[in-house]
Amino acid sequence: MALNFTDQTAREAIESGKTVVIDFWATWCGPCMGMAPVYGQLADEYAGKEIVIGKYNIDEQTDLATECRIMSIPTILFFKDGKQVKDLRLAGSQNIDTLRTNVEKLLAL
């Protein structure tokens, strides 16, 4: 199951230097709701590995979304060694294979 990030917990995970994947979403977003089971499956598949996978509700939290320039949702960002990996950014609905491929790229960095 994916973690539910707040501004504080997301920053703590990123600043820890861990490998982090964050799904920016909202309850009113149809594509976000459609992605929820797929994203949950991804989190379950990587549970217990050296990666933190979580969700960030842009209606409940705003600082990180603003800082990361989230303009549309769902958007998935990838972080490693305390920094956003600029070459890895997904916007819109994604299938599980695309998510896995990007997570594996992140882990290989």
Side-chain angles (χ1 to χ4, degrees):
M1 174 182 244
L3 298 172
N4 288 312
F5 281 127
T6 63
D7 284 316
Q8 180 180 346
T9 60
R11 278 200 177 84
E12 287 170 359
I14 294 165
E15 290 170 2
S16 74
K18 294 178 182 176
T19 303
V20 181
V21 179
I22 303 177
D23 173 25
F24 292 81
W25 71 288
T27 56
W28 49 263
C29 168
C32 298
M33 300 310 286
M35 282 276 308
V38 175
Y39 198 73
Q41 179 183 347
L42 181 77
D44 291 345
E45 287 180 17
Y46 286 90
K49 301 214 165 106
E50 294 295 318
I51 188 167
V52 178
I53 297 176
K55 298 177 72 62
Y56 179 98
N57 186 325
I58 65 163
D59 287 333
E60 294 175 359
Q61 305 291 314
T62 59
D63 293 347
L64 186 62
T66 301
E67 181 181 310
C68 293
R69 297 182 179 165
I70 301 300
M71 301 295 185
S72 64
I73 54 173
T75 292
I76 300 171
L77 299 183
F78 301 83
F79 299 84
K80 188 155 190 168
D81 299 326
K83 297 179 183 163
Q84 182 181 343
V85 178
K86 299 294 183 185
D87 295 341
L88 297 177
R89 181 183 184 112
L90 299 173
S93 293
Q94 307 294 323
N95 63 44
I96 191 69
D97 292 330
T98 301
L99 293 173
R100 276 190 209 113
T101 297
N102 282 276
V103 167
E104 290 301 322
K105 285 180 187 175
L106 180 66
L107 292 171
L109 293 176

